[in-house]
């Protein structure tokens, strides 16, 4: 089978699922709709695996497969092809998106089985998958941008899927508008890149960056910063992160697919794809790293105080995305992609696990009303436990390898800084605390489940994806074992070798000091272990302690619990002034000036027409008089 045919099947398979379910959107047969949608996603995954093995067969330096379907725009100054590129970066994304996506589709079959509109839900899910594939596989910025906007639209549709609830509908609108702010920056960045290089193709842009002579650095920095604005919007970084926690209003599998494993990582992917461009601008990289570090700590601190099981995971996602940007900002693009992959495994696992809990608790999401669920949900608990071990950085679980690689590079990279490392360790400590708190309040300790709720384990269609993701959360990290750990056991860093040639080395980086690296690793592990132990004591051994501590820092706790009042600040200083200005413009410009001017002008024309109309009487003698008067007037003008 030719590469073109495989690529076409890979990309169009979700479209077929979308059309099938879209045409029968009123149908309530969840298993039929879900089965078709899951099969469509699985076909894309199989095609991704086939292309992965074909890339493996190629020599390392030429591992790339490009397919051009047609030329979309062909004018003198620009040529835009609808073409797709598979290399070592995009194939990893394709495997994650289609593989994790298939598991989440399967989980949705059980989760949405009682919904009244399952066909519409699965149609949206397949449409999202199609657009995500455009985003990650497009060979140029324009195809990527089409996918970028497409996933934004699908995110809006899926967050507000239960739109009859005003809060959920508003959450979808909030996500849509916040992302448009970022997209404006992304578009401007794309325009500057085209102005600089005369092309939208990734390969040509990156090739030009190998020799930056003659390219103004200021414009490169401007382009990178504007692209980063788009990335910050899509990947929920400070200050554009506010939409992601509210996006938890959508169905839980949507949170796992879009807001944990795939769409929110689009900003990271774009920066890694354009790593030669970003490496050229130290200013832009410093901004990326600083925003990432701030986001990692800021979001983690909010996660310490939340009671909604999905909100805790949402702020955790924002924080983990901050780690990925921190890695990209210090030039460790391989570490950013590594954490993107491991995070997709364990965070999708935890979101789906929370969905299983919510399903068992009859839609209850407040962890204060849970506790002791371990005995009712053994599979969900066991798999969630694995996800917990991975995310808090327990040694030899996937999150340990990827997070510590980021922390090490934040310290060791010439673009890194001690404060970046410190922020990362602080965030890791808080992550261990709030995740242990989540585990304890949900699964351990005494049951606080209301008497009218009888929790039960989910069906196999929901637990099988959990088991597979739990396995990946353990073994997924072994493809990127740091040299300092892998070398004594002759275990290579497979991921680093895989990205070689596509991700440029950090300029000026020196040989790592093994003792220094191990020492830093021990510090981060000890901080996480101490935080997890403290949370266990607080919420299992002595549940009265948190209230005592909170009473001593009540004002500060309230500020953090209310998410630093960021939404309120936005409302007061940005939204309200914009609304007031818009109303003033409507009243004074539209109503008082433009409308009244239009009415007066039309009234003048109408009155003038009435006056002229009175002259048209049909009386020939009067017309002759008008001619004479006109003639006399003309003669008078000529003579005098």
């Amino acid at each position: 089978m030719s590469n073109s045919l495989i690529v076409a099947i890979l990309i169009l398979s979700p479209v077929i699922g979308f059309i099938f379910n879209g045409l029968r959107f009123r149908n309530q047969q969840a298993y039929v709709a879900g089965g078709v949608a899951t099969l469509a996603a699985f076909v894309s995954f199989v095609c991704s695996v086939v292309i992965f093995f074909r890339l493996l067969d190629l020599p390392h330096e030429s591992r790339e497969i490009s397919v051009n379907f047609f030329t979309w725009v062909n004018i003198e100054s620009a040529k835009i092809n609808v073409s797709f590129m598979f290399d070592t970066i995009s194939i990893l994304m394709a495997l994650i998106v289609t593989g994790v996506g298939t598991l989440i589709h399967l989980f949705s079959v059980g989760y949405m089985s009682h919904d009244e509109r399952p066909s519409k839900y699965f149609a949206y899910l397949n449409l999202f998958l199609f657009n995500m594939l455009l985003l990650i596989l497009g060979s140029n910025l324009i195809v990527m941008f089409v996918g970028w906007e497409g996933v934004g639209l699908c995110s809006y549709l899926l967050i507000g899927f239960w739109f009859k609830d005003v809060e959920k509908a508003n959450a979808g609108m909030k996500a849509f508008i916040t992302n448009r702010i970022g997209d404006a920056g992304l578009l401007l960045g794309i325009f500057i890149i085209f102005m600089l290089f005369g092309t939208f193709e990734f390969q040509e842009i990156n090739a030009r960056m190998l020799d930056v002579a003659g390219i103004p650095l200021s414009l490169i920095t401007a382009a990178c910063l504007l692209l980063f604005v788009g990335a910050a919007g899509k990947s929920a970084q400070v200050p554009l992160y506010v939409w992601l926690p509210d996006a938890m209003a959508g169905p839980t599998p949507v949170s796992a697919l879009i807001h944990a494993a795939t769409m929110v990582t689009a900003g990271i992917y774009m920066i890694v794809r354009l790593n030669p461009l970003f490496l050229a601008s130290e200013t832009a990289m410093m901004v990326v790293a600083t925003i990432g570090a701030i986001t990692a700590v800021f979001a983690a601190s909010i996660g310490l105080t939340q009671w909604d099981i999905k909100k805790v995971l949402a702020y955790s996602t924002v924080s983990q995305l901050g780690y990925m940007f921190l890695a990209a900002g210090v030039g460790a693009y391989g570490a950013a992609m590594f954490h993107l992959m491991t995070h997709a495994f364990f965070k999708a696992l935890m979101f789906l696990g929370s969905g299983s809990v919510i399903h068992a608790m009859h839609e209850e999401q407040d962890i204060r009303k849970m506790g002791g669920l371990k005995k009712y949900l053994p599979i969900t608990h066991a798999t969630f436990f694995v996800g917990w071990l991975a995310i808090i950085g327990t040694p030899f679980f996937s999150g340990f390898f990827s997070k510590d690689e980021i922390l090490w590079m934040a310290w060791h990279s010439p673009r890194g800084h001690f404060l970046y490392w410190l922020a990362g360790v602080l965030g890791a400590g808080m992550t261990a605390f709030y995740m242990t708190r989540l585990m304890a309040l949900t699964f351990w300790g005494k049951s606080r489940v209301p008497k009218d709720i009888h929790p039960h384990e989910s069906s196999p269609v929901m637990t099988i994806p959990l088991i597979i993701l739990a396995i990946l959360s353990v073994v997924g990290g072994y493809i990127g074992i740091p040299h300092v750990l892998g070398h004594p056991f002759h275990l290579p860093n497979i991921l680093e070798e895989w990205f070689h040639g596509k991700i440029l080395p950090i300029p000026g980086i020196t040989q790592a000091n093994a003792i220094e690296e191990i020492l830093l690793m021990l510090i981060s592990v000890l901080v996480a272990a101490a935080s997890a132990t403290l949370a266990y004591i607080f919420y299992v051994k002595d549940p009265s302690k948190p209230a005592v501590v909170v009473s001593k820092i009540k004002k500060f706790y309230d500020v953090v619990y209310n998410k630093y009042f960021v939404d309120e600040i936005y409302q007061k200083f940005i939204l309200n002034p914009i609304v007031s200005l818009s109303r003033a413009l409507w009243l004074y410009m539209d109503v008082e000036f433009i409308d009244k001017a239009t009415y007066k002008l039309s009234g003048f024309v109408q009155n003038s027409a009435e006056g002229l109309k009175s002259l048209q009487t049909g009386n020939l003698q009067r017309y002759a008089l008008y001619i004479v008067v006109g003639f006399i007037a003309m003669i008078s003008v000529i003579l005098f």
Side-chain angles (χ1 to χ4, degrees), residues 546-559:
V548 176
V549 174
V550 168
S551 65
K552 293 180 180 177
I553 53 169
K554 186 72 169 59
K555 289 185 178 178
F556 178 67
Y557 176 85
D558 287 342
V559 171

Side-chain angles (χ1 to χ4, degrees), residues 392-454:
I392 67 172
T394 306
F396 309 111
F397 282 77
S398 60
F400 163 74
F401 294 121
S402 57
K403 189 182 291 184
D404 270 279
E405 182 70 6
I406 292 173
L407 294 178
W408 166 241
M409 293 308 296
W411 173 281
H412 178 63
S413 168
R415 304 284 174 91
H417 194 279
F418 164 73
L419 291 177
Y420 292 156
W421 174 83
L422 186 63
V425 172
L426 185 60
M430 287 192 281
T431 301
F433 187 92
Y434 68 69
M435 277 301 171
T436 306
R437 171 179 177 265
L438 182 66
M439 276 296 297
L441 291 174
T442 305
F443 293 104
W444 302 336
K446 292 182 179 179
S447 174
R448 299 174 301 281
V449 178
K451 292 181 179 178
D452 59 332
I453 295 178
H454 306 287

Side-chain angles (χ1 to χ4, degrees), residues 495-516:
L495 205 60
E496 186 178 277
E497 294 175 7
W498 178 252
F499 287 139
H500 182 71
K502 286 295 176 185
I503 291 179
L504 298 185
I506 306 170
I509 193 162
T510 56
Q511 184 73 27
N513 183 318
I515 295 176
E516 187 181 28

Side-chain angles (χ1 to χ4, degrees), residues 85-128:
M85 178 176 63
F86 292 83
D87 62 1
T88 53
I89 298 175
S90 61
I91 191 62
L92 180 66
M93 288 294 293
L95 290 169
I96 293 170
V97 169
T98 57
V100 176
T102 300
L103 295 173
I104 294 172
H105 275 69
L106 181 62
F107 182 92
S108 295
V109 175
Y111 192 85
M112 299 297 286
S113 59
H114 301 297
D115 194 87
E116 58 185 12
R117 298 176 299 143
S119 296
K120 182 178 283 188
Y121 168 82
F122 282 107
Y124 290 163
L125 222 53
N126 273 167
L127 183 62
F128 167 81

Side-chain angles (χ1 to χ4, degrees), residues 499-569:
F499 287 139
H500 182 71
K502 286 295 176 185
I503 291 179
L504 298 185
I506 306 170
I509 193 162
T510 56
Q511 184 73 27
N513 183 318
I515 295 176
E516 187 181 28
E517 187 174 352
I518 290 175
L519 183 63
L520 293 177
M521 197 178 286
L522 282 175
I523 292 173
S524 66
V525 170
L526 288 175
V527 168
S531 297
T533 304
L534 183 64
Y536 186 79
I537 293 170
F538 271 28
Y539 295 99
V540 178
K541 292 293 184 185
D542 190 356
S544 63
K545 277 191 179 298
V548 176
V549 174
V550 168
S551 65
K552 293 180 180 177
I553 53 169
K554 186 72 169 59
K555 289 185 178 178
F556 178 67
Y557 176 85
D558 287 342
V559 171
V560 179
Y561 176 70
N562 287 292
K563 298 161 278 186
Y564 298 97
F565 296 101
V566 171
D567 281 332
E568 289 77 6
I569 292 170

Side-chain angles (χ1 to χ4, degrees), residues 107 356 379-380 383 457-468:
F107 182 92
S356 181
I379 299 175
T380 302
T383 53
E457 185 56 277
S458 300
S459 61
V461 77
M462 293 172 68
T463 53
I464 289 173
L466 297 180
I467 295 169
I468 296 173

Side-chain angles (χ1 to χ4, degrees), residues 176-191:
F176 190 78
I177 292 173
T178 308
N179 273 276
R180 297 294 78 69
I181 295 170
D183 294 353
L186 176 66
L187 262 183
L188 291 173
I190 291 174
F191 292 154

Side-chain angles (χ1 to χ4, degrees), residues 616-639:
Q616 293 179 309
T617 60
N619 188 322
L620 291 178
Q621 292 176 330
R622 181 167 292 185
Y623 290 163
L625 176 62
Y626 295 158
I627 293 172
V628 171
V629 170
F631 180 74
I632 293 172
M634 289 176 59
I635 294 297
S636 300
V637 171
I638 293 170
L639 293 178

